[in-house]
Amino acid sequence: MEPLIVRTEDPLNAEAPLGPLVRSHLTPTPLFFIRNHGAVPAVDADAYRLTLDGDVREPVVLSLRELRDGWPAATVTATLACAGNRRNDQTPVPAGVPWGAGAIGNAVWTGVRLADLLAAAGASDAARHVAFTGLDRPVAEGTAQPFAASIPMAKALSPEVVVAYEMDGEPLAPEHGFPVRVVVPGYIGARSVKWLAGISVRASQSPSFFQLRDYALDGTPLTEQALNSAFSADTGRGYAVGAGGRPVERVEISTDGGRSWTAATLESGGGPWEWRLWSADVDSAGELLVRAWDSAGEGQPETADWNERGYMNNGWFRARLESG
Ligand code: MTE
């Protein structure tokens, strides 16, 4: 786990150091953050079965081979980030895994469109939610239970949502969900369930603790990520990621406390679900502020509202520049 900064050992939670992270548009798997709630399950690929049931005409059970061979492969380049990314930048720092700005990564995900699987099973038009259950059994509120989540049907039918068996052209690594995970671009990472055992079409959200209480604020489960950015003073490079499928169009920096802003140089990205890497030449010492703007003209707020979980912290990024 050498390249990652380990935040908790058991379960393993680890994030990328910012300098190496913003070097490449596609995050090398060894640098891709790991967010686990329990132990990584050992899954036998031959014995693996994915179940799709609930409010469907015909429940479906698929082996890994049937999943791979039964539908055209769909590919999406998408940035995944934990809802708690940048938690440490809130004051006071809320409880939870103490994430800096490295609980984020960008990858090419290949699998089957969730919409194709839902069509094959004959998902009811009236059903409002699609729930996912993992094979892991983290302990929550004193009880071992599967990690689970759900997304609204409208999102589940969107073409970017894939039931993925590959990350950057390779089978998923065990810690990233081998053999199959769902990838829900634009949503908080917690909805991209790893070690996917079941998909269920439902009238209501997943009743899971992780859906309704853990990744929720004021009783409202979180869905979309927020527009966000970060900068590595060591490398003069940063990332910026849009929200709701709106790509980042501009990144600005300020070295005078926000009185004046200069456009940074965008270097990669531009797709709806992927981050943009960018660079800026700064030779002054002191504090650097960063803010990104998306294609709808929305910008990051100066300060995000504090919440007790430290979720969705997307206030202007602040980096300390050393002279020389
Ligand atoms: N899926 C399962 N089954 N168990 C988990 O603990 N963690 C979720 C999500 N899917 C989790 C899961 C959270 S909170 C995040 S941010 C992402 O996986 C992290 O994915 P990664 O570890 O591949 O980076």
Side-chain angles (χ1 to χ4, degrees), residues 13-14 32-38 41 80-84 99 103 105 109 133-136 138 146-148 167 175-177 181-182 188-196 210 215:
N13 285 300
F32 205 100
F33 80 102
I34 296 169
R35 176 47 175 133
N36 293 335
H37 292 77
L80 204 65
C82 195
W99 296 122
W109 307 95
T133 304
L135 289 165
D136 52 340
F147 186 89
M167 182 175 177
E175 59 273 22
H176 295 298
R181 79 178 302 168
V182 62
I188 62 163
R191 308 310 181 215
S192 290
V193 173
K194 304 191 276 190
W195 315 295
L196 187 64
F210 299 100
Y215 288 94

Short mmCIF file of all heavy atoms in Angstrom, two decimals, residues 13-14 32-38 41 80-84 99 103 105 109 133-136 138 146-148 167 175-177 181-182 188-196 210 215, ligand 1:
data_model
loop_
_atom_site.label_atom_id
_atom_site.label_comp_id
_atom_site.label_asym_id
_atom_site.label_seq_id
_atom_site.Cartn_x
_atom_site.Cartn_y
_atom_site.Cartn_z
N ASN A 13 -8.50 2.12 4.89
CA ASN A 13 -8.92 3.35 4.22
C ASN A 13 -7.66 4.15 3.93
O ASN A 13 -6.89 4.44 4.84
CB ASN A 13 -9.88 4.14 5.10
CG ASN A 13 -11.24 3.49 5.11
OD1 ASN A 13 -11.88 3.36 4.08
ND2 ASN A 13 -11.67 3.03 6.27
N ALA A 14 -7.47 4.46 2.66
CA ALA A 14 -6.21 5.08 2.26
C ALA A 14 -6.44 6.03 1.09
O ALA A 14 -7.28 5.77 0.23
CB ALA A 14 -5.21 4.00 1.87
N PHE A 32 -5.05 4.78 -6.51
CA PHE A 32 -6.50 5.03 -6.43
C PHE A 32 -6.95 4.80 -4.98
O PHE A 32 -6.70 3.74 -4.41
CB PHE A 32 -7.25 4.09 -7.37
CG PHE A 32 -8.58 4.61 -7.81
CD1 PHE A 32 -8.75 5.22 -9.05
CD2 PHE A 32 -9.69 4.51 -6.96
CE1 PHE A 32 -9.99 5.70 -9.45
CE2 PHE A 32 -10.93 5.00 -7.36
CZ PHE A 32 -11.08 5.59 -8.61
N PHE A 33 -7.59 5.79 -4.41
CA PHE A 33 -7.97 5.71 -2.99
C PHE A 33 -8.82 4.47 -2.71
O PHE A 33 -9.50 3.95 -3.59
CB PHE A 33 -8.71 6.98 -2.55
CG PHE A 33 -10.18 7.02 -2.93
CD1 PHE A 33 -11.17 6.75 -2.00
CD2 PHE A 33 -10.58 7.35 -4.21
CE1 PHE A 33 -12.52 6.80 -2.33
CE2 PHE A 33 -11.92 7.39 -4.57
CZ PHE A 33 -12.89 7.11 -3.62
N ILE A 34 -8.76 4.03 -1.48
CA ILE A 34 -9.51 2.84 -1.04
C ILE A 34 -10.40 3.24 0.12
O ILE A 34 -9.92 3.80 1.12
CB ILE A 34 -8.56 1.72 -0.61
CG1 ILE A 34 -7.71 1.26 -1.81
CG2 ILE A 34 -9.34 0.54 -0.01
CD1 ILE A 34 -6.56 0.35 -1.42
N ARG A 35 -11.70 2.98 -0.02
CA ARG A 35 -12.64 3.29 1.06
C ARG A 35 -13.43 2.02 1.36
O ARG A 35 -14.32 1.64 0.58
CB ARG A 35 -13.55 4.45 0.64
CG ARG A 35 -14.65 4.83 1.63
CD ARG A 35 -14.16 4.95 3.02
NE ARG A 35 -15.13 5.43 4.00
CZ ARG A 35 -15.30 4.85 5.19
NH1 ARG A 35 -14.64 3.75 5.51
NH2 ARG A 35 -16.14 5.38 6.06
N ASN A 36 -13.08 1.35 2.43
CA ASN A 36 -13.75 0.12 2.83
C ASN A 36 -14.44 0.33 4.18
O ASN A 36 -13.88 0.99 5.06
CB ASN A 36 -12.74 -1.01 3.01
CG ASN A 36 -12.10 -1.43 1.69
OD1 ASN A 36 -12.68 -1.24 0.62
ND2 ASN A 36 -10.90 -1.98 1.78
N HIS A 37 -15.59 -0.30 4.35
CA HIS A 37 -16.26 -0.27 5.66
C HIS A 37 -16.02 -1.54 6.45
O HIS A 37 -16.29 -1.60 7.64
CB HIS A 37 -17.76 -0.03 5.48
CG HIS A 37 -18.02 1.36 4.98
ND1 HIS A 37 -17.83 1.72 3.67
CD2 HIS A 37 -18.41 2.49 5.62
CE1 HIS A 37 -18.10 3.00 3.52
NE2 HIS A 37 -18.45 3.50 4.69
N GLY A 38 -15.54 -2.59 5.76
CA GLY A 38 -15.24 -3.85 6.43
C GLY A 38 -14.09 -4.52 5.69
O GLY A 38 -13.38 -3.87 4.92
N PRO A 41 -13.89 -8.88 0.82
CA PRO A 41 -14.27 -10.29 0.69
C PRO A 41 -13.45 -10.97 -0.41
O PRO A 41 -13.15 -10.36 -1.43
CB PRO A 41 -15.75 -10.23 0.32
CG PRO A 41 -15.95 -8.90 -0.30
CD PRO A 41 -14.93 -7.97 0.29
N LEU A 80 -14.28 9.08 -9.32
CA LEU A 80 -14.99 8.61 -8.13
C LEU A 80 -14.37 9.33 -6.94
O LEU A 80 -13.15 9.40 -6.83
CB LEU A 80 -14.73 7.11 -8.02
CG LEU A 80 -15.71 6.24 -7.27
CD1 LEU A 80 -17.04 6.23 -8.00
CD2 LEU A 80 -15.17 4.81 -7.20
N ALA A 81 -15.21 9.86 -6.08
CA ALA A 81 -14.67 10.51 -4.88
C ALA A 81 -15.54 10.16 -3.69
O ALA A 81 -16.76 9.99 -3.82
CB ALA A 81 -14.63 12.03 -5.06
N CYS A 82 -14.92 10.08 -2.55
CA CYS A 82 -15.68 9.83 -1.33
C CYS A 82 -16.40 11.12 -0.93
O CYS A 82 -15.87 12.21 -1.12
CB CYS A 82 -14.75 9.37 -0.22
SG CYS A 82 -15.69 8.65 1.13
N ALA A 83 -17.58 10.97 -0.35
CA ALA A 83 -18.32 12.16 0.13
C ALA A 83 -17.50 12.91 1.17
O ALA A 83 -17.67 14.11 1.36
CB ALA A 83 -19.66 11.73 0.72
N GLY A 84 -16.58 12.18 1.84
CA GLY A 84 -15.77 12.81 2.89
C GLY A 84 -14.45 13.37 2.39
O GLY A 84 -13.64 13.84 3.20
N TRP A 99 -9.89 12.42 5.89
CA TRP A 99 -9.45 12.56 4.50
C TRP A 99 -8.90 13.94 4.21
O TRP A 99 -9.53 14.96 4.53
CB TRP A 99 -10.62 12.32 3.53
CG TRP A 99 -11.24 10.97 3.50
CD1 TRP A 99 -12.56 10.68 3.75
CD2 TRP A 99 -10.63 9.72 3.16
NE1 TRP A 99 -12.79 9.34 3.60
CE2 TRP A 99 -11.62 8.71 3.24
CE3 TRP A 99 -9.33 9.35 2.80
CZ2 TRP A 99 -11.36 7.37 2.97
CZ3 TRP A 99 -9.07 8.01 2.54
CH2 TRP A 99 -10.07 7.04 2.63
N ALA A 103 -8.95 11.52 -1.55
CA ALA A 103 -9.93 10.42 -1.59
C ALA A 103 -10.74 10.52 -2.88
O ALA A 103 -11.98 10.64 -2.89
CB ALA A 103 -10.83 10.45 -0.37
N GLY A 105 -10.26 9.62 -7.42
CA GLY A 105 -9.45 9.05 -8.49
C GLY A 105 -10.27 9.01 -9.77
O GLY A 105 -11.50 9.10 -9.73
N TRP A 109 -13.93 2.87 -16.74
CA TRP A 109 -14.68 1.73 -16.20
C TRP A 109 -15.38 1.03 -17.35
O TRP A 109 -16.04 1.69 -18.17
CB TRP A 109 -15.72 2.21 -15.18
CG TRP A 109 -15.14 3.08 -14.11
CD1 TRP A 109 -15.10 4.46 -14.11
CD2 TRP A 109 -14.51 2.67 -12.89
NE1 TRP A 109 -14.49 4.91 -12.96
CE2 TRP A 109 -14.11 3.84 -12.19
CE3 TRP A 109 -14.25 1.42 -12.32
CZ2 TRP A 109 -13.47 3.79 -10.95
CZ3 TRP A 109 -13.62 1.38 -11.09
CH2 TRP A 109 -13.23 2.55 -10.42
N THR A 133 -26.43 -4.35 -3.36
CA THR A 133 -25.92 -4.97 -2.14
C THR A 133 -24.57 -5.60 -2.41
O THR A 133 -24.39 -6.28 -3.42
CB THR A 133 -26.91 -6.05 -1.65
OG1 THR A 133 -28.18 -5.44 -1.49
CG2 THR A 133 -26.47 -6.63 -0.32
N GLY A 134 -23.61 -5.37 -1.49
CA GLY A 134 -22.27 -5.92 -1.64
C GLY A 134 -22.13 -7.24 -0.91
O GLY A 134 -22.99 -7.64 -0.10
N LEU A 135 -21.02 -7.93 -1.18
CA LEU A 135 -20.74 -9.21 -0.53
C LEU A 135 -20.02 -9.04 0.80
O LEU A 135 -19.85 -10.01 1.54
CB LEU A 135 -19.88 -10.10 -1.45
CG LEU A 135 -20.59 -10.66 -2.67
CD1 LEU A 135 -19.59 -11.18 -3.68
CD2 LEU A 135 -21.56 -11.76 -2.25
N ASP A 136 -19.54 -7.82 1.09
CA ASP A 136 -18.85 -7.60 2.36
C ASP A 136 -19.87 -7.46 3.48
O ASP A 136 -21.05 -7.21 3.24
CB ASP A 136 -17.95 -6.35 2.26
CG ASP A 136 -18.67 -5.10 1.75
OD1 ASP A 136 -19.74 -5.24 1.10
OD2 ASP A 136 -18.18 -3.99 2.00
N PRO A 138 -19.67 -5.35 6.66
CA PRO A 138 -19.12 -4.45 7.68
C PRO A 138 -20.02 -4.40 8.92
O PRO A 138 -21.22 -4.69 8.82
CB PRO A 138 -19.09 -3.09 6.98
CG PRO A 138 -20.04 -3.21 5.83
CD PRO A 138 -20.08 -4.65 5.44
N PRO A 146 -24.57 -6.34 5.17
CA PRO A 146 -23.94 -6.01 3.88
C PRO A 146 -23.87 -4.50 3.66
O PRO A 146 -24.78 -3.78 4.09
CB PRO A 146 -24.85 -6.65 2.84
CG PRO A 146 -25.89 -7.40 3.57
CD PRO A 146 -25.85 -7.04 5.01
N PHE A 147 -22.82 -4.06 3.00
CA PHE A 147 -22.82 -2.67 2.54
C PHE A 147 -23.85 -2.58 1.42
O PHE A 147 -23.91 -3.46 0.55
CB PHE A 147 -21.44 -2.26 2.02
CG PHE A 147 -21.36 -0.80 1.67
CD1 PHE A 147 -21.02 0.13 2.63
CD2 PHE A 147 -21.69 -0.35 0.40
CE1 PHE A 147 -20.98 1.49 2.34
CE2 PHE A 147 -21.67 1.00 0.09
CZ PHE A 147 -21.30 1.92 1.05
N ALA A 148 -24.66 -1.55 1.43
CA ALA A 148 -25.71 -1.42 0.41
C ALA A 148 -26.02 0.04 0.16
O ALA A 148 -25.68 0.91 0.97
CB ALA A 148 -26.97 -2.17 0.84
N MET A 167 -11.39 -1.99 -14.68
CA MET A 167 -10.94 -0.64 -14.35
C MET A 167 -9.67 -0.44 -15.16
O MET A 167 -8.73 -1.25 -15.06
CB MET A 167 -10.64 -0.61 -12.84
CG MET A 167 -10.21 0.69 -12.26
SD MET A 167 -10.07 0.43 -10.45
CE MET A 167 -9.47 2.02 -9.94
N GLU A 175 -9.51 -4.84 -3.85
CA GLU A 175 -9.94 -3.73 -2.98
C GLU A 175 -10.86 -2.76 -3.70
O GLU A 175 -11.51 -1.93 -3.06
CB GLU A 175 -8.72 -3.01 -2.37
CG GLU A 175 -7.76 -2.42 -3.34
CD GLU A 175 -6.68 -3.42 -3.81
OE1 GLU A 175 -6.92 -4.63 -3.73
OE2 GLU A 175 -5.63 -2.96 -4.26
N HIS A 176 -10.94 -2.84 -5.03
CA HIS A 176 -11.85 -1.95 -5.76
C HIS A 176 -13.10 -2.67 -6.24
O HIS A 176 -13.85 -2.14 -7.07
CB HIS A 176 -11.11 -1.26 -6.91
CG HIS A 176 -10.03 -0.35 -6.44
ND1 HIS A 176 -10.29 0.76 -5.66
CD2 HIS A 176 -8.68 -0.41 -6.56
CE1 HIS A 176 -9.13 1.35 -5.35
NE2 HIS A 176 -8.15 0.67 -5.88
N GLY A 177 -13.31 -3.91 -5.73
CA GLY A 177 -14.62 -4.52 -5.96
C GLY A 177 -14.66 -5.81 -6.75
O GLY A 177 -15.74 -6.23 -7.16
N ARG A 181 -18.45 -4.35 -9.68
CA ARG A 181 -18.97 -3.25 -8.86
C ARG A 181 -19.87 -2.40 -9.74
O ARG A 181 -19.77 -2.43 -10.97
CB ARG A 181 -17.85 -2.39 -8.30
CG ARG A 181 -17.29 -1.40 -9.33
CD ARG A 181 -16.21 -0.50 -8.78
NE ARG A 181 -16.66 0.29 -7.64
CZ ARG A 181 -15.84 0.98 -6.86
NH1 ARG A 181 -14.54 1.00 -7.12
NH2 ARG A 181 -16.29 1.69 -5.86
N VAL A 182 -20.70 -1.60 -9.11
CA VAL A 182 -21.44 -0.61 -9.89
C VAL A 182 -20.64 0.69 -9.84
O VAL A 182 -19.93 0.96 -8.87
CB VAL A 182 -22.90 -0.47 -9.36
CG1 VAL A 182 -22.95 0.02 -7.96
CG2 VAL A 182 -23.73 0.40 -10.27
N ILE A 188 -21.86 10.49 -5.05
CA ILE A 188 -20.86 10.19 -4.02
C ILE A 188 -20.42 8.73 -4.17
O ILE A 188 -21.21 7.87 -4.57
CB ILE A 188 -21.41 10.44 -2.59
CG1 ILE A 188 -22.61 9.54 -2.29
CG2 ILE A 188 -21.76 11.91 -2.39
CD1 ILE A 188 -22.94 9.43 -0.81
N GLY A 189 -19.15 8.50 -3.83
CA GLY A 189 -18.57 7.17 -4.02
C GLY A 189 -19.35 6.05 -3.34
O GLY A 189 -19.34 4.91 -3.80
N ALA A 190 -20.03 6.37 -2.25
CA ALA A 190 -20.73 5.35 -1.47
C ALA A 190 -21.84 4.65 -2.25
O ALA A 190 -22.29 3.57 -1.86
CB ALA A 190 -21.33 5.96 -0.20
N ARG A 191 -22.28 5.24 -3.36
CA ARG A 191 -23.34 4.58 -4.13
C ARG A 191 -22.76 3.60 -5.15
O ARG A 191 -23.50 2.85 -5.78
CB ARG A 191 -24.24 5.62 -4.81
CG ARG A 191 -24.79 6.69 -3.88
CD ARG A 191 -25.45 6.15 -2.62
NE ARG A 191 -25.99 7.23 -1.78
CZ ARG A 191 -25.99 7.20 -0.45
NH1 ARG A 191 -25.49 6.17 0.22
NH2 ARG A 191 -26.50 8.21 0.24
N SER A 192 -21.44 3.65 -5.37
CA SER A 192 -20.78 2.75 -6.32
C SER A 192 -20.37 1.48 -5.58
O SER A 192 -19.22 1.29 -5.21
CB SER A 192 -19.57 3.44 -6.95
OG SER A 192 -20.00 4.48 -7.81
N VAL A 193 -21.34 0.62 -5.35
CA VAL A 193 -21.15 -0.54 -4.47
C VAL A 193 -20.19 -1.56 -5.08
O VAL A 193 -20.33 -1.93 -6.25
CB VAL A 193 -22.52 -1.18 -4.14
CG1 VAL A 193 -22.36 -2.49 -3.36
CG2 VAL A 193 -23.37 -0.19 -3.34
N LYS A 194 -19.21 -1.95 -4.27
CA LYS A 194 -18.19 -2.92 -4.69
C LYS A 194 -18.66 -4.34 -4.37
O LYS A 194 -19.59 -4.54 -3.60
CB LYS A 194 -16.88 -2.62 -3.96
CG LYS A 194 -16.40 -1.18 -4.18
CD LYS A 194 -14.97 -0.95 -3.68
CE LYS A 194 -14.89 -0.66 -2.21
NZ LYS A 194 -13.53 -0.21 -1.80
N TRP A 195 -17.97 -5.33 -4.94
CA TRP A 195 -18.28 -6.76 -4.68
C TRP A 195 -19.80 -6.97 -4.80
O TRP A 195 -20.45 -7.51 -3.89
CB TRP A 195 -17.78 -7.17 -3.30
CG TRP A 195 -16.39 -6.67 -3.04
CD1 TRP A 195 -15.26 -7.03 -3.73
CD2 TRP A 195 -15.98 -5.68 -2.08
NE1 TRP A 195 -14.18 -6.33 -3.23
CE2 TRP A 195 -14.59 -5.51 -2.22
CE3 TRP A 195 -16.65 -4.94 -1.10
CZ2 TRP A 195 -13.86 -4.60 -1.43
CZ3 TRP A 195 -15.93 -4.05 -0.32
CH2 TRP A 195 -14.55 -3.89 -0.48
N LEU A 196 -20.34 -6.54 -5.93
CA LEU A 196 -21.79 -6.47 -6.11
C LEU A 196 -22.42 -7.86 -6.12
O LEU A 196 -22.10 -8.68 -6.98
CB LEU A 196 -22.07 -5.73 -7.43
CG LEU A 196 -23.51 -5.41 -7.73
CD1 LEU A 196 -24.07 -4.43 -6.68
CD2 LEU A 196 -23.64 -4.78 -9.12
N PHE A 210 -26.29 2.38 5.49
CA PHE A 210 -25.32 3.17 4.71
C PHE A 210 -26.01 4.12 3.73
O PHE A 210 -25.47 5.15 3.37
CB PHE A 210 -24.37 2.23 3.95
CG PHE A 210 -23.58 1.36 4.87
CD1 PHE A 210 -23.95 0.04 5.11
CD2 PHE A 210 -22.49 1.87 5.56
CE1 PHE A 210 -23.23 -0.75 5.99
CE2 PHE A 210 -21.77 1.08 6.44
CZ PHE A 210 -22.14 -0.23 6.67
N TYR A 215 -24.56 7.84 4.97
CA TYR A 215 -24.25 8.82 3.91
C TYR A 215 -25.46 9.69 3.65
O TYR A 215 -26.01 9.73 2.54
CB TYR A 215 -23.75 8.10 2.66
CG TYR A 215 -22.36 7.55 2.88
CD1 TYR A 215 -22.15 6.24 3.29
CD2 TYR A 215 -21.24 8.38 2.74
CE1 TYR A 215 -20.86 5.77 3.55
CE2 TYR A 215 -19.96 7.92 2.99
CZ TYR A 215 -19.78 6.61 3.39
OH TYR A 215 -18.51 6.14 3.65
N1 MTE B 1 -18.97 -1.04 -1.57
C1 MTE B 1 -18.91 -2.00 -0.64
N2 MTE B 1 -19.46 -3.19 -0.89
N3 MTE B 1 -18.33 -1.76 0.58
C2 MTE B 1 -17.79 -0.53 0.87
O1 MTE B 1 -17.25 -0.36 1.98
N4 MTE B 1 -17.40 1.78 0.11
C3 MTE B 1 -18.04 2.82 -0.69
C4 MTE B 1 -18.05 2.43 -2.16
N5 MTE B 1 -18.52 1.09 -2.33
C5 MTE B 1 -17.86 0.49 -0.09
C6 MTE B 1 -18.46 0.17 -1.34
C7 MTE B 1 -17.44 4.13 -0.58
S1 MTE B 1 -17.89 5.05 0.78
C8 MTE B 1 -16.64 4.66 -1.56
S2 MTE B 1 -16.09 6.25 -1.47
C9 MTE B 1 -16.23 3.85 -2.71
O2 MTE B 1 -16.72 2.52 -2.66
C10 MTE B 1 -14.72 3.78 -2.78
O3 MTE B 1 -14.31 3.00 -3.86
P1 MTE B 1 -12.79 2.57 -3.97
O4 MTE B 1 -12.39 1.92 -2.68
O5 MTE B 1 -12.72 1.65 -5.15
O6 MTE B 1 -12.00 3.83 -4.20
#
